[in-house]
Amino acid sequence: MADWEELIGLSVLLRQQLGSLDPELSPFRIPGEGATEEQLRAAESRIDAPLDPMYRDFARYANGWPYFFTYAHLLGAEQFGQGELWQKGNELLWLYYSEGPPRGAFPSLAELTIIGVGAEVTDLFVIWRTGPVFDGGHQVSWLAGEEVDRYANFRTFLLSVNQYLQSDIKKFSA
């Protein structure tokens, strides 16, 4: 579906470089070993919904990723539907919807799957279960009190995160 090995490899190298420049802000962590089909089915059972096909494919190569984006953690199959990060993600999502539906074209709360949660910050990454499909995946939204950005699919999201990492490396190297 996508060139996950290449994208993940680049992401690991960028994180390693950034982690050496600023270990406090960007602790270097590698992703978890790819999820098994059994783990993915268990995750889908716990959330009572299928995972986005593109994210599901990615998870076969990288099953969760601590400190994926600054202090935000990408969820692994075992974290869907349970645990502290899932609970915090749901709390942040409820806060986002607490004053009514978000402005603009945005799905209902039940049509989102949390994929990344900021442990020490309010960043939240969600995949839409509905709406347009681009190259085999649904849209991804980055939320932090409001929608910060929207990506065509998970692959586009990962490419954007890699661009953020490259930008941070340039800033810290200057």
Side-chain angles (χ1 to χ4, degrees):
M1 183 176 275
D3 47 349
W4 296 126
E5 289 175 346
E6 183 179 326
L7 289 172
I8 292 166
L10 174 60
S11 207
V12 167
L13 291 173
L14 292 169
R15 289 171 205 309
Q16 184 177 27
Q17 189 175 359
L18 186 57
S20 69
L21 294 169
D22 189 350
E24 188 176 315
L25 180 62
S26 297
F28 174 62
R29 301 289 191 277
I30 59 172
E33 186 176 325
T36 65
E37 185 60 30
E38 183 179 311
Q39 290 172 312
L40 294 169
R41 274 187 262 154
E44 291 171 327
S45 176
R46 281 192 306 277
I47 65 171
D48 197 27
L51 292 170
D52 175 78
M54 186 174 283
Y55 185 82
R56 196 177 202 285
D57 192 48
F58 167 83
R60 289 185 177 124
Y61 293 87
N63 184 22
W65 200 328
Y67 296 98
F68 174 75
F69 188 73
T70 312
Y71 296 110
H73 307 281
L74 205 56
L75 299 179
E78 67 283 352
Q79 295 170 305
F80 281 91
Q82 62 187 7
E84 287 180 39
L85 283 177
W86 183 260
Q87 181 179 340
K88 179 166 185 199
N90 274 293
E91 290 169 5
L92 290 171
L93 199 52
W94 276 104
L95 282 173
Y96 186 69
Y97 278 81
S98 65
E99 295 179 12
R103 287 180 263 138
F106 206 80
S108 73
L109 194 60
E111 297 171 314
L112 296 171
T113 299
I114 299 163
I115 59 166
V117 181
E120 296 91 10
V121 293
T122 62
D123 292 297
L124 184 64
F125 303 102
V126 295
I127 290 184
W128 300 27
R129 292 184 192 156
T130 58
V133 174
F134 299 99
D135 296 325
H138 283 95
Q139 295 179 91
V140 174
S141 289
W142 171 9
L143 310 174
E146 62 184 12
E147 188 176 35
V148 176
D149 214 340
R150 187 178 298 179
Y151 309 90
N153 55 40
F154 186 77
R155 183 181 183 282
T156 305
F157 169 65
L158 181 56
L159 287 169
S160 178
V161 169
N162 283 349
Q163 288 175 341
Y164 277 107
L165 293 169
Q166 288 170 335
S167 175
D168 284 349
I169 289 167
K170 286 180 186 175
K171 277 190 253 177
F172 287 113
S173 297

